[in-house]
Amino acid sequence: MQTNNENSKIKLAALIIAPLLSLSLILFGDLEPENPSITYTLAIAILMAIWWITEAIPLAATALLPVALFPLFGVVDGKTISTMYFNYLIFLFLGGFLMALAMERWDLHRRIAIRVLMFFGISPGRILMGFMVATAFLSMWMSNTATTMLMIPIALSIIYKLEEIVGKAKLGSYSVGLLLGIAYSASIGGIATLVGTPPNLSFARIANIIFPNMPEISFANWLIFAIWITALVFIVAWVLLFLMYRPKQPWQGVNRAEFKKEYQLLGKAKAEEKIIFILFIIMALLWVFRAGFEIGFVHIPGWSELFDNPEYINDGTVAIAVASLLFIIPSKSIKGERLMDWETANRLPWHIVLLFGGGFALAKGFVASGLSLWFGEQLSGLAGTDPMILTSVVVALMSFLTELTSNVASTEMILPILAGLAVSIKVNPLLLMIPATLAASLAFMLPVATPPNAIIFGTGRLQIIDMVKTGFLLNLAGIIVVTLVTYFWGTQVFGIDVGSFPDWATTMSGKK
């Protein structure tokens, strides 16, 4: 691992080298003489990419650069680029996170997690399954980081109990598998929903910016498609972890009483927990059935069609409407309090909001300047490549790229390039952009790859080699699953014809 001193040197070097590289490209590079905006946009993208990867300055600060640099270099006007930082997907994220904070405030998240563990049982395989299911389910709706943070204390307390009952020697490396299961499940569960992980939201917004005529990808559509990827990768992860880390000798003396004791410490469910759980279920159902969905000959209409202008309502509307109720409904346990207060809401990760905005702004610059199409033209030699091979290559490259970089930053830099490539070689953009987005969550090998990995590594109970050897195999399995499910199921859900180029992709928004 790098020391703090080494990290400081890298950040200082990046702080100096990145602007010099960008300036050199602006002064001496000329990608397309008739359109200097292409060169300017690439120079700004290089600057942001290096600073994002090295964290030379805070990620959110880097994300704000387009507001200053794009107008100054004539790429996009200040008014347009500023609007990229707040949109319905940002409100979808905020509403979902407010619900997660409310669950955490009243300990509902802990109750859900332990109940799942009690349900699954006490054998090594079942305990591993229980932790992984609880983590994956919560991460479908909550931040992967927050989910991992809430599961770690529970996992460690049970590991300590197991060590007391069966002994450290008999427990063996099982604790390593259990902790890896939490980290991996947080990433795998986040794949299933649009709000589950930041790259999914980034895709939905970036695709809409680049292709404004593209049919909407609703919460329900994404869930119907991605839940199978989550399920398949989850099964592979559980089997892999159980085979690699299962105890060598049978346990004796482990019983359900340990789990019941943990649950009893929470006491009786408070009224606030029950109300928040009901609101949580209502929000999930409203998301799933808002726009309705159609697969083949089956059509389920959405509830938004009950309104005069259903197109006015989106998933962000739902998130904020339900989250607002948290500030209105009074607490029954604490007089004068509500289910949610602003002190708790202030814990919203505003830096992630700005990071989203920076990615959206960068995507707008890629399209408005023509840089996306320019990149696509440079890669036009891939035209004629079998779509499945092309998809698998994209997934593999993205999967290993995101091991070393922020999955959000990687997604927001790569998606506009893939959009331009798709247009150049006349392939449906969704066939490249969707699997690339999913691949950003297939980061299982290194602690720096995702916050859940880093949190697990921070327990001091496993080594990097444990994560690398397990994560590499899971990465390979994830690449195969994402490629096959996208090609054979995603094409049905999203109406992708691998043999034709859709009309909505013939023009790219902002193209000069």
Side-chain angles (χ1 to χ4, degrees), residues 218-461:
S218 67
F219 188 95
N221 285 135
W222 185 272
L223 180 63
I224 291 169
F225 159 66
I227 192 67
W228 293 104
I229 293 175
T230 289
L232 291 172
V233 177
F234 180 92
I235 292 169
V236 172
W238 180 81
V239 171
L240 187 64
L241 289 168
F242 181 68
L243 292 178
M244 293 181 69
Y245 298 102
R246 70 184 185 277
K248 295 179 181 178
Q249 300 176 19
W251 287 349
Q252 294 179 350
V254 180
N255 53 62
R256 289 181 184 268
E258 300 301 328
F259 292 100
K260 289 181 179 178
K261 192 180 297 181
E262 292 285 336
Y263 190 76
Q264 287 169 358
L265 290 175
L266 294 174
K268 188 177 179 181
K270 298 183 287 291
E272 291 82 359
E273 292 180 66
K274 296 175 182 178
I275 296 170
I276 292 170
F277 184 71
I278 292 171
L279 291 177
F280 175 73
I281 295 299
I282 289 173
M283 184 165 69
L285 291 175
L286 289 176
W287 273 337
V288 171
F289 296 105
R290 174 186 62 82
F293 43 89
E294 188 170 346
I295 302 177
F297 299 102
V298 179
H299 174 71
I300 299 178
W303 58 263
S304 61
E305 295 176 23
L306 298 172
F307 293 81
D308 292 335
N309 298 291
E311 69 278 4
Y312 286 11
I313 302 169
N314 56 47
D315 290 331
T317 310
V318 173
I320 295 301
V322 178
S324 297
L325 295 176
L326 297 171
F327 294 94
I328 298 172
I329 300 174
S331 164
K332 292 188 177 181
S333 302
I334 306 174
K335 190 174 181 180
E337 286 285 328
R338 312 282 176 173
L339 294 180
M340 190 67 171
D341 58 17
W342 197 248
E343 182 180 352
T344 305
N346 263 330
R347 292 167 51 202
L348 282 166
W350 296 107
H351 63 290
I352 295 294
V353 172
L354 292 177
L355 188 58
F356 273 144
F360 300 152
L362 189 59
K364 185 67 176 178
F366 266 64
V367 176
S369 66
L371 181 59
S372 288
L373 282 177
W374 182 86
F375 267 118
E377 289 164 2
Q378 308 313 302
L379 299 171
S380 57
L382 293 173
T385 303
D386 183 272
M388 182 178 287
I389 294 176
L390 196 59
T391 300
S392 63
V393 170
V394 167
V395 173
L397 289 175
M398 189 65 169
S399 174
F400 288 104
L401 172 65
T402 196
E403 292 287 354
L404 299 170
T405 63
S406 158
N407 56 0
V408 181
S410 299
T411 304
E412 295 179 341
M413 286 187 291
I414 296 299
L415 289 186
I417 295 174
L418 291 177
L421 170 62
V423 171
S424 294
I425 64 177
K426 301 302 178 185
V427 168
N428 192 309
L430 296 181
L431 201 58
L432 302 183
M433 296 174 74
I434 288 176
T437 302
L438 296 170
S441 295
L442 302 179
F444 307 118
M445 288 174 57
L446 296 173
V448 297
T450 65
N453 289 9
I455 292 167
I456 293 299
F457 187 73
T459 64
R461 284 182 161 264

Side-chain angles (χ1 to χ4, degrees), residues 97-110 142-143 145-147 149-150 270 273 276 339-340 344 347:
F97 211 95
L98 283 170
M99 180 62 71
L101 288 173
M103 292 172 69
E104 185 178 338
R105 186 187 185 202
W106 298 100
D107 256 357
L108 174 60
H109 60 328
R110 193 178 301 274
M142 294 171 60
S143 153
T145 306
T147 301
M149 288 297 296
L150 96 88
K270 298 183 287 291
E273 292 180 66
I276 292 170
L339 294 180
M340 190 67 171
T344 305
R347 292 167 51 202

Side-chain angles (χ1 to χ4, degrees), residues 438-494:
L438 296 170
S441 295
L442 302 179
F444 307 118
M445 288 174 57
L446 296 173
V448 297
T450 65
N453 289 9
I455 292 167
I456 293 299
F457 187 73
T459 64
R461 284 182 161 264
L462 69 160
Q463 298 178 330
I464 289 181
I465 189 62
D466 296 319
M467 194 173 286
V468 170
K469 68 182 182 182
T470 313
F472 179 74
L473 295 174
L474 192 54
N475 268 18
L476 293 180
I479 291 168
I480 294 170
V481 169
V482 168
T483 300
L484 294 178
V485 174
T486 299
Y487 196 82
F488 292 108
W489 177 238
T491 50
Q492 301 298 313
V493 175
F494 299 116

